[in-house]
Amino acid sequence: MAWAAYLVAGWILLAGIYGIVTSRNLVHVVVCLSVAQSATYLLLLSVGFRQGATAPVFSDIRPGRRVVDPVVQAMTLTDVVVGATVTALLLALAVQVAKRRGTVDPDALRTLER
Amino acid sequence: MGEVLLVAAFALTALMATAVVLTRDPVRQAIVLSGYGLSLGVLFVTLQAPDVAMAQLAVGTVMVPLMVMLAVAAIRRHQRKDGP
Amino acid sequence: MIAATLVMLAGALLPCLLATVRGKPVDRLVGLVAAGPVAALVLLLLAAAYGRSAYLDVALIAALLSFAGSLVYARFLGRTL
Amino acid sequence: MLSPVELAIAVPFLAAMVLAGAGRWLPRVVVDAVAMGATLAVTGLLGAVLWEAVRYGTVVVWVGGWRPHGGVSTGIPLVADPFATALALVVAVLTVAALLFSWRYFTEVQAVFHTLMLLFLGAMCAFALTGDLFDAFVFFELMSAVAYVLTGYRADEARSVHGGLNFGVVNSLAAYLSLTGIALLYGRTGELGFAAVGEQIRAAGGPDTGVRVAFALVCTGFLVKAAAVPFHFWLADAHAVAPTPVCVLFSGIMVELGVYAVARTYWTVLGGAEETTARALAVFGGTTMLLGGVMCLLQRHIKRLLAYSTVSHVGLLVTCVALARADALAGGAFYLIGHAGVKGALFVGAGALLNRFETVDEHELRGRGRDMRVTSCLFLLGGLALAGLPPGGMWLGKVLAEHAAPHGWWWLTVLGVLASGLTGGAVLRVWLRVFRGAGRRPAGQAGEREAGETAAPTPRVPWLMLAPGLLLLAGGLLVAVLLSGPEVLRGARTFTTGYAGTVLHGRPSLAHAGRLPELWTASALVKGLAGVTAALAVAALAVWGRRVPPAARARPVWSALHTLHSGHVGDYVAWLLAGIVLFTLLVIV
Amino acid sequence: MNAVRGLRLCLLAAGSLGFAVLFTLAVLDLPPFGGNFHPYGDRAVRASLLRGTPNTVSSVNFDQRSLDTLGEELILVASALGAVVLLRAVRREEEDEPARHHLGPADVFDALRVTGYPLLPVTVLVGVYIVAHGQLSPGGGFQGGVVLGTALHLLYLTGDYPALARIRPVPLFEVGETAAAAVFVVLALAFAGQVIASNVAVGVEVGCAFVLVLAKFFEQALLIRVPA
């Protein structure tokens, strides 16, 4: 069962992708994309976890305590910011699609090919 | 005991993530998304990542919900009356 | 302490979050409003369980912002923006 | 004191911040001058770095001074080897051309357009130069975020925002899958630098299944950027609607950076020359060459047509990586630079049409370009160059790739001629119809009108708009003459050998130059002429050959292809997932 | 149309199944969850303590891997610019004056207002604390910046939009955002190791960027309309 944590990340990623593919609303698509992204937070932090260790913040503990991997935490932090900004950008695009096309249903949007 | 806590936090997160995806109406989905954000915050602290937990809570409780709700409001103003 | 956290997690946070996944938006909002402070409490207990006072800041943020977060929905579900 | 490599990243970002903060109070000419000045400065800096890298070997800079001790470091290296630096230089040169095109003509919101172009420039340079997997992800995301905004720049056009959204969703998801692969590699090796990860994997006795899956995930993220089939759907949607100067950068270099990242990961993480990976890349590259060419010929929207031709050409670049030999990579470099010049020039030509007639529909424009001599020239020469006219960079690149191909790869020659014929033929067909007024007006509904990019239509296309096109075209056609073949080969060898030693242990990187195969042979010229002949035949058939039986019988296939490119974001993501599984299976089995 | 949807679902099913198998294969080759193998992490902790930064995550973000954070901050700037470009009023659209939208306090429950207004200074204080303590305790420029940005919007959440619009001069925030980002570019590349200064720069930048992005969303949701 030691690998279950990683598999949860895989499950969330697939759930997000399922949501995007079957979605009928572009706002829903964008939120599902952010769910798929949250899988990477889980995977990164699980990879950096260390049994019986504590946070690598030495304000109230002595140096020398077992700590978890700070690098994955820094990466995840960056990832969280990236996720929030990409969500903002895609929501802005979705608003404009609604204004120009009058719908946010991917099925009702005309093809771009001609 | 600590492991049980981790398992519980992981299970809660997986459950909420699935719920977010399965909620199709954006307004309802945004509320579930806020709940998912809280469960992620708790999970990150159990994974000993308070910095990330704080970032997730800061973004996930107000910023992203506000953006989603403003987007939904803007879309409602512009959607075709006869549209689907 | 961890046991207490576990009880709060399963006994209080889980029901609140479950309430957010079903029903009309207003019903869901009730669940979310309750979940905010409960999550802060869980984080508080976790800080005590791990013996890390540094973790308290996270609980502070959760408590402070979850109120504002529920206001977002209260505004939008109300009459006007 | 910052090194030139760091300055090349700092300068565009700082200039972008100045324009973003003060843009609303600055007169237009100052905004143009600041952006152009910064880009020229970057060009100069990168030129100096390239000279140093070619002369004395790869320049490695550890940001913040976190140099490695005993082969390990906690910092991020910027690795300016000849190839990475040359790519960054191509970015800078194309940005100069794009800014020239938009000089005083592009309609404006404050100075946002220039700010975005500078951020784009800096992000692509950093992406090319970084020696760290996660840093590559971050700058990939910066590059993508700026690209989404630039795609949707004309927010009043429905197609713009729709294309931008499809682009955004597909590329972001791809980036997250890449990040998943990076996390898996980090879990395995405990390292993030390209060099450090590779060393760990070698120390552990080479890649196993887990490492291969992780590698495949990282690569598929980059292959989406590279628009390999079936990850290519977003590209046409985005290229067809993005402003012309942005298209020059998108088609000329952004897409190709995806292939570069695949190659970089392949050689540093897996060590290159893996049989399964070569097979996977060859399958994807070959399919991309063919489908891109077919889709290209089916278009009547000129920018969309050019976008699909980019897909086809990227297929050849992917195949060059699959060949996993230094001379094939040198060929890829020639091909990439030649393509960047020619495609940039063609987009400039399309932009000139759009700004004059407010449409880029081939049928609408039939015969209307008769008096546009320069633009006509751009399309004629551009089409021939795409088809592989000697001595263009694309001709040379293809000859080198075919020369490097082992025996079982006969299909590369066939696909090469086909891709040349289809993409070059499509452009020549546009030239015949629009600038010569050839053929009959085909039946079918009228094309959609589009807003031009200038405040008012430009009855005479200004020289400042066309000059960058002519310069790019000249560059693309003369690459083979301008660049020194042995030096390019030396760059390719530096790219494929000794990376970890140079980055982590400070070993000198200079490979010996070696000799390229003899180029001006009869068979090489015949190969070039075969492509050109095929293109001319395709163009002639498309314009004059009515009711060619095979084309008529294949109509259901064409319409099925159109249906596949549905503009539905769910379809694109489903294809993305299926493509990832296919690629990973090919890599591990 | 149905055939297309069928094809899409088939692709999805096949892809999901394949991905699940492949991902599981990859994961089984990882060291088990909670393992002790973290060479880079251990080096980062040592380096951080040598430099005297107790919060090693801050040290990684602002010192050892400052280039990552630079990219991240520029993504924020790009998204703020993106909001300006994508959500501007175009062509025949008209923008109302904020003051015309007196969707004021009357529509919010008094109880909310009584709790909300006092929360504003508290939130600002907490935001400043999180930014300033970033190198010591969990938190830092990013987290604090978001809290500061949120604080401003409490004015809207518990009050009215005109009040928010009054204390939010967009050009000023643009200048603040880009100046802070420029400072951070210099810090990250030339003076790595200034963790406190980096935190402050990032805090200002993040706060301003989120306010700017949300400002554009507010305009779309409240002010911009297409005349009939």
Side-chain angles (χ1 to χ4, degrees):
Chain A
M1 282 324 285
W3 287 270
Y6 308 134
L7 294 180
V8 170
W11 166 258
I12 294 178
L13 185 63
L14 276 182
I17 292 177
Y18 166 80
I20 299 174
V21 174
T22 58
S23 181
R24 299 294 304 271
N25 187 317
L26 288 176
V27 177
H28 180 262
V29 167
V30 176
V31 173
C32 285
L33 184 67
S34 75
V35 171
Q37 189 190 16
S38 65
T40 59
Y41 313 158
L42 254 68
L43 186 63
L44 280 170
L45 290 180
S46 307
V47 158
F49 187 68
R50 190 178 259 175
Q51 208 73 51
T54 186
V57 180
F58 295 94
S59 55
D60 53 345
I61 54 168
R62 294 264 180 92
R65 273 279 291 275
R66 268 164 73 86
V67 291
V68 299
D69 193 332
V71 177
V72 288
Q73 299 199 2
M75 287 198 276
T76 316
L77 205 53
T78 305
D79 199 13
V80 169
V81 186
V82 170
T85 53
V86 167
T87 305
L89 274 183
L90 295 183
L91 282 176
L93 284 166
V95 168
Q96 289 293 12
V97 170
K99 276 166 69 173
R100 308 286 160 236
R101 294 273 203 230
T103 175
V104 283
D105 183 354
D107 287 346
L109 288 169
R110 222 155 26 101
T111 172
L112 289 160
E113 183 85 12
R114 68 155 189 256
Chain B
M1 214 49 180
E3 286 182 16
V4 183
L5 193 61
L6 269 173
V7 170
F10 266 108
L12 186 65
T13 310
L15 178 82
M16 289 305 291
T18 317
V20 177
V21 168
L22 294 180
T23 313
R24 301 280 169 178
D25 169 39
V27 176
R28 291 164 210 235
Q29 191 193 24
I31 299 178
V32 188
L33 182 70
S34 288
Y36 178 52
L38 287 178
S39 74
L40 276 179
V42 172
L43 174 68
F44 291 167
V45 171
T46 58
L47 284 171
Q48 311 297 331
D51 282 273
V52 185
M54 207 184 262
Q56 170 60 39
L57 289 172
V59 172
T61 43
V62 184
M63 281 297 167
V64 171
L66 192 53
M67 281 189 294
V68 173
M69 294 310 284
L70 286 170
V72 170
I75 287 171
R76 279 207 186 131
R77 276 161 60 91
H78 298 294
Q79 219 157 15
R80 260 189 233 124
K81 290 291 175 287
D82 55 353
Chain C
M1 248 338 185
I2 289 190
T5 321
L6 208 53
V7 170
M8 276 304 285
L9 192 71
L13 190 58
L14 180 67
C16 292
L17 289 180
L18 283 182
T20 64
V21 305
R22 53 200 310 151
K24 289 202 296 277
V26 181
D27 301 337
R28 291 167 188 250
L29 182 56
V30 174
L32 185 65
V33 170
V38 174
L41 204 57
V42 170
L43 293 171
L44 216 61
L45 285 170
L46 279 175
Y50 297 132
R52 297 288 312 260
S53 56
Y55 288 19
L56 288 175
D57 290 352
V58 186
L60 174 67
I61 295 289
L64 199 63
L65 294 191
S66 65
F67 172 73
S70 36
L71 276 183
V72 173
Y73 299 105
R75 284 291 305 239
F76 282 91
L77 296 179
R79 275 162 295 173
T80 55
L81 293 177
Chain D
M1 191 53 209
L2 289 181
S3 68
V5 182
E6 289 166 298
L7 274 177
I9 294 173
V11 166
F13 288 154
L14 283 175
M17 290 310 105
V18 169
L19 290 185
R24 68 167 68 219
W25 298 289
L26 292 176
R28 175 61 200 263
V29 88
V30 176
V31 172
D32 273 329
V34 169
M36 185 57 93
T39 314
L40 287 175
V42 174
T43 314
L45 283 165
L46 287 170
V49 175
L50 181 61
W51 190 77
E52 196 186 337
V54 171
R55 197 72 199 281
Y56 304 107
T58 303
V59 183
V60 181
V61 177
W62 291 83
V63 177
W66 292 93
R67 280 180 205 85
H69 295 287
V72 290
S73 166
T74 64
I76 296 174
L78 293 171
V79 186
D81 66 309
F83 263 31
T85 319
L87 274 181
L89 192 58
V90 173
V91 175
V93 170
L94 286 180
T95 311
V96 170
L99 287 174
L100 264 185
F101 179 86
S102 50
W103 189 271
R104 297 186 58 109
Y105 285 103
F106 207 64
T107 45
E108 253 324 299
V109 203
Q110 294 170 34
V112 175
F113 177 74
H114 292 78
T115 313
L116 289 169
M117 291 297 265
L118 286 172
L119 282 176
F120 202 36
L121 164 68
M124 287 196 281
C125 287
F127 181 71
L129 292 172
T130 188
D132 186 279
L133 273 164
F134 186 71
D135 204 49
F137 162 78
V138 171
F139 284 102
F140 184 90
E141 274 289 23
L142 176 58
M143 178 166 102
S144 305
V146 177
Y148 310 153
V149 181
L150 285 170
T151 305
Y153 188 81
R154 294 188 292 166
D156 48 344
E157 297 254 332
R159 304 156 63 87
S160 281
V161 283
H162 188 185
L165 188 70
N166 286 352
F167 179 21
V169 172
V170 172
N171 266 264
S172 300
L173 188 63
Y176 304 151
L177 288 163
S178 256
L179 183 57
T180 308
I182 292 170
L184 291 173
L185 282 178
Y186 185 76
R188 271 313 284 284
T189 61
E191 296 289 350
L192 279 178
F194 281 115
V197 170
E199 282 218 322
Q200 289 286 333
I201 290 173
R202 261 193 304 288
D208 57 14
T209 309
V211 169
R212 286 216 175 84
V213 173
F215 163 79
L217 277 177
V218 175
C219 280
T220 39
F222 296 143
L223 281 176
V224 172
K225 190 55 110 193
V229 172
F231 310 130
H232 67 290
F233 295 97
W234 63 270
L235 183 132
D237 290 358
H239 281 55
V241 297
T244 306
V246 176
C247 284
V248 171
L249 283 173
F250 277 13
S251 252
I253 191 69
M254 179 184 78
V255 172
E256 286 77 0
L257 277 177
V259 185
Y260 159 78
V262 171
R264 175 60 89 208
T265 319
Y266 184 27
W267 264 279
T268 53
V269 172
L270 290 195
E274 286 252 313
E275 208 172 303
T276 52
T277 310
R279 186 181 57 195
L281 288 171
V283 168
F284 275 67
T287 321
T288 308
M289 279 167 87
L290 186 62
L291 190 70
V294 171
M295 288 307 292
C296 175
L297 195 65
L298 291 181
Q299 305 303 315
R300 53 187 271 199
H301 185 282
I302 296 173
K303 281 167 94 176
R304 223 176 149 81
L305 178 149
L306 293 176
Y308 278 116
S309 115
T310 301
V311 173
S312 176
H313 298 302
V314 161
L316 186 91
L317 290 179
V318 174
T319 317
C320 285
V321 177
L323 283 165
R325 286 176 46 159
D327 44 354
L329 279 188
F334 277 115
Y335 198 78
L336 189 153
I337 297 176
H339 175 257
V342 173
K343 194 53 68 66
L346 284 171
F347 269 114
V348 167
L353 288 174
L354 176 61
N355 286 333
R356 179 156 172 207
F357 301 114
E358 301 200 318
T359 176
V360 284
D361 186 86
E362 186 186 332
H363 298 172
E364 287 284 302
L365 287 170
R366 190 175 152 272
R368 287 168 77 184
R370 278 206 183 86
D371 57 338
M372 301 171 81
R373 287 212 203 93
V374 182
T375 318
S376 161
C377 215
L378 279 182
F379 270 88
L380 174 62
L381 284 176
L384 292 174
L386 286 189
L389 180 75
M394 301 184 69
W395 162 72
L396 180 52
K398 208 160 50 171
V399 168
L400 284 176
E402 283 170 19
H403 190 269
H407 269 305
W409 291 51
W410 54 268
W411 53 267
L412 181 57
T413 314
V414 177
L415 278 184
V417 173
L418 261 179
S420 294
L422 291 169
T423 56
V427 174
L428 290 177
R429 184 194 73 200
V430 170
W431 174 74
L432 281 173
R433 286 230 175 94
V434 175
F435 299 98
R436 313 297 316 165
R440 291 165 28 133
R441 194 190 164 85
Q445 77 275 49
E448 212 171 298
R449 280 196 92 65
E450 287 181 49
E453 292 160 348
T454 46
T458 47
R460 290 186 52 82
V461 182
W463 269 103
L464 216 45
M465 265 187 187
L466 286 175
L470 288 173
L471 290 176
L472 287 175
L473 185 65
L477 278 173
L478 297 178
V479 183
V481 184
L482 294 178
L483 287 186
S484 142
E487 291 300 333
V488 176
L489 188 59
R490 193 217 296 265
R493 289 206 174 135
T494 313
F495 187 85
T496 52
T497 48
Y499 182 85
T502 309
V503 174
L504 294 176
H505 306 289
R507 289 194 203 114
S509 67
L510 218 55
H512 37 239
R515 285 166 52 104
L516 285 178
E518 185 58 46
L519 295 173
W520 298 95
T521 60
S523 84
L525 290 176
V526 165
K527 273 176 187 163
L529 290 181
V532 173
T533 317
L536 289 172
V538 167
L541 266 182
V543 174
W544 290 295
R546 265 171 294 149
R547 302 235 169 74
V548 187
R553 221 174 297 141
R555 187 145 299 149
V557 179
W558 306 151
S559 78
L561 278 178
H562 275 298
T563 317
L564 274 186
H565 297 74
S566 58
H568 189 294
V569 69
D571 282 348
Y572 293 3
V573 170
W575 279 109
L576 170 63
L577 191 64
I580 281 172
V581 171
L582 184 63
F583 185 78
T584 315
L585 277 175
L586 284 171
V587 168
I588 65 169
V589 178
Chain E
M1 199 64 222
N2 271 332
V4 174
R5 185 173 302 162
L7 177 65
R8 187 187 309 151
L9 290 178
C10 284
L11 270 180
L12 175 67
S16 302
L17 194 69
F19 187 85
V21 172
L22 293 169
F23 186 78
T24 312
L25 277 181
V27 152
L28 289 180
D29 274 348
L30 283 183
F33 178 72
N36 209 12
F37 175 68
H38 299 288
Y40 193 173
D42 294 340
R43 291 202 302 275
V45 170
R46 276 198 300 278
S48 158
L49 291 175
L50 272 178
R51 288 267 190 143
T53 310
N55 184 350
T56 49
V57 181
S58 280
S59 169
V60 173
N61 260 331
F62 297 117
D63 190 355
Q64 304 171 35
R65 296 181 63 85
S66 53
L67 198 59
D68 285 350
T69 313
L70 172 63
E72 168 208 311
E73 297 316 314
L74 291 171
I75 296 178
L76 258 177
V77 175
S79 85
L81 287 169
V84 171
V85 171
L86 298 175
L87 296 179
R88 66 185 189 265
V90 287
R91 283 202 195 155
R92 26 187 226 99
E93 292 173 357
E94 292 171 3
E95 197 171 330
D96 291 346
E97 278 295 305
R100 278 187 48 195
H101 282 255
H102 241 313
L103 319 157
D107 288 284
V108 180
F109 291 117
D110 281 344
L112 286 184
R113 252 188 306 151
V114 172
T115 4
Y117 278 137
L119 219 52
L120 178 65
V122 178
T123 313
V124 171
L125 210 64
V126 169
V128 171
Y129 158 77
I130 299 281
V131 172
H133 264 240
Q135 55 129 14
L136 278 178
S137 59
F142 175 69
Q143 295 93 328
V146 180
V147 173
L148 287 173
T150 306
L152 212 59
H153 289 97
L154 276 172
L155 257 189
Y156 164 75
L157 291 173
T158 56
D160 51 349
Y161 182 68
L164 172 65
R166 259 201 307 282
I167 64 154
R168 191 201 55 191
V170 168
L172 193 67
F173 274 78
E174 272 176 5
V175 171
E177 182 212 17
T178 50
V183 168
F184 188 72
V185 172
V186 174
L187 283 175
L189 285 170
F191 302 99
Q194 304 291 324
V195 176
I196 300 177
S198 301
N199 264 323
V200 173
V202 168
V204 173
E205 204 247 295
V206 170
C208 292
F210 272 110
V211 169
L212 287 174
V213 170
L214 281 174
K216 287 292 159 183
F217 273 100
F218 271 114
E219 276 175 22
Q220 280 293 334
L222 299 177
L223 306 182
I224 290 181
R225 54 198 171 73
V226 187

